Amino acid sequence: MRKEYLTAPLPFVGQKRMFAREYKRILSTLDDNAVFVDLFGGSGLLSHITKYNKPNATVVYNDYDNYRCRLENIEMTNKLLADLREIVKCSPRHKLIDKSTRERIFQRLEREEQSGFVDYITISSSLLFSMKYVLSLDELRKEGMYNNVRKTDYSSNGYLDGLMIESCDYKELFNRYKDNPNVVFLVDPPYLCTEVGTYNMSWRLGDYLDVLTVLQGKRFVYFTSNKSSIVELCNWLGNNKNLGNPFEDANKVEFNAHMNYNSHYTDIMLYRIA
């Protein structure tokens, strides 16, 4: 029997597991043969949930971040984690790993790199604080490491079954399906003002605002957060339609500044499906 995943099989920044049950409720109100296009597929969780609950629907998963490569190498990751469990077996759980043990971990990762693949995002979740990720061994060497090594293997059996997988710019995918009267766009872009280092893209305010153009006149499920203030911005623009660009003729001076910021935020889901 096929398994339904309500969280992504491997760690991914920004997966929508907290919205899974509410998203399933929205799905239950839609046609069984609708076309769902996941423009920013990320971990594929929304696509998976959609296909599981709407098996007759066409579900297009835009795997721009190549998450499927991590899934394809999950056995190698499990073997590596098994070795890491052995290395840290004398280290207290959730405590700082001592220097000699760190070096053994680094040596093991160096050997694994010679095999051609290390899933550093997944490994990070076993060696760093929650929600902290690195993408290379050099980055990991700069971090304090903790014995949070996962005790069980990862599994992704059937996770991508039935999905149409693409890997392209979201605008290209949108243009391909925008004239389909039965389409529902799943729109989960990287959040503005949130770390996007693990995404395979750069992301600026203009890019974030460009995404809003795909919502006009379409059925959609859209995700944002209160950290971006995008809902407040759109409400303000709606009340000031004739403003134009107030900076059109202004000069600009820039300098770099450093500040601390609060990493907590509230996720938001907005949808129009009628």
Side-chain angles (χ1 to χ4, degrees):
M1 183 176 179
R2 188 181 174 201
K3 173 185 176 181
E4 180 180 21
Y5 293 78
L6 296 180
T7 186
L10 293 173
F12 188 88
V13 177
Q15 59 167 298
K16 290 296 167 288
R17 61 183 181 274
M18 301 303 295
F19 285 105
R21 298 191 185 281
E22 185 62 20
Y23 177 63
K24 288 175 64 174
R25 185 192 65 79
I26 295 171
L27 282 176
S28 69
T29 68
L30 293 167
D31 296 339
D32 289 341
N33 62 345
V35 176
F36 296 87
V37 181
D38 193 352
L39 294 176
F40 299 88
S43 70
L45 183 61
L46 291 176
S47 292
H48 166 80
I49 292 174
T50 303
K51 189 63 178 178
Y52 185 91
N53 289 275
K54 297 287 185 184
N56 295 324
T58 298
V59 182
V60 183
Y61 165 43
N62 190 17
D63 184 21
Y64 190 76
D65 300 291
N66 202 17
Y67 186 75
R68 65 190 182 280
C69 177
R70 295 173 59 198
L71 296 178
E72 290 165 357
N73 288 279
I74 204 167
E75 289 188 11
M76 292 177 62
T77 299
N78 284 334
K79 290 177 182 177
L80 174 57
L81 286 171
D83 288 348
L84 294 183
R85 281 193 287 271
E86 182 65 21
I87 292 172
V88 303
K89 65 182 181 180
C90 294
S91 299
R93 290 287 292 175
H94 312 303
K95 299 297 183 181
L96 195 66
I97 294 173
D98 63 76
K99 184 176 180 180
S100 63
T101 305
R102 278 173 59 94
E103 289 306 314
R104 291 177 62 197
I105 291 173
F106 293 147
Q107 291 170 12
R108 178 63 185 88
L109 290 172
E110 286 174 348
R111 293 199 304 273
E112 192 69 15
E113 284 193 343
Q114 294 174 5
S115 72
F117 181 84
V118 178
D119 182 352
Y120 278 104
I121 296 177
T122 297
I123 298 304
S124 293
S125 69
S126 282
L127 295 175
L128 302 179
F129 277 126
S130 178
M131 301 304 295
K132 191 175 182 69
Y133 299 96
V134 298
L135 299 177
S136 69
L137 182 56
D138 286 342
E139 291 179 15
L140 185 60
R141 290 183 185 277
K142 301 174 185 177
E143 302 290 339
M145 295 197 303
Y146 296 79
N147 179 13
N148 301 320
V149 178
R150 182 181 169 97
K151 293 184 176 181
T152 59
D153 285 350
Y154 288 100
S155 174
S156 62
N157 293 336
Y159 183 66
L160 300 181
D161 286 359
L163 302 180
M164 293 178 56
I165 300 178
E166 300 283 351
S167 183
C168 61
D169 187 275
Y170 81 92
K171 294 178 183 178
E172 176 185 338
L173 198 57
F174 172 74
N175 288 330
R176 206 181 303 169
Y177 287 92
K178 65 181 181 181
D179 297 323
N180 188 318
N182 208 25
V183 70
V184 178
F185 289 105
L186 310 180
V187 188
D188 181 24
Y191 288 176
L192 191 65
C193 302
T194 300
E195 173 60 42
V196 296
T198 58
Y199 291 92
N200 186 24
M201 60 174 68
S202 59
W203 203 247
R204 306 179 72 174
L205 175 60
D207 302 306
Y208 194 80
L209 295 176
D210 282 345
V211 175
L212 300 180
T213 64
V214 310
L215 308 181
Q216 188 67 33
K218 304 298 181 185
R219 294 192 296 172
F220 64 82
V221 182
Y222 173 80
F223 297 88
T224 185
S225 79
N226 66 338
K227 199 169 185 179
S228 72
S229 300
I230 195 68
V231 177
E232 181 182 358
L233 172 62
C234 289
N235 288 335
W236 190 91
L237 291 173
N239 293 327
N240 296 271
K241 295 182 175 65
N242 299 320
L243 176 65
N245 180 6
F247 303 116
E248 185 172 3
D249 299 317
N251 297 310
K252 181 171 67 173
V253 177
E254 297 179 328
F255 67 92
N256 294 323
H258 300 280
M259 61 180 295
N260 295 321
Y261 62 92
N262 192 334
S263 62
H264 298 287
Y265 58 88
T266 300
D267 277 334
I268 300 169
M269 177 173 65
L270 302 102
Y271 58 93
R272 182 176 65 228
I273 56 178

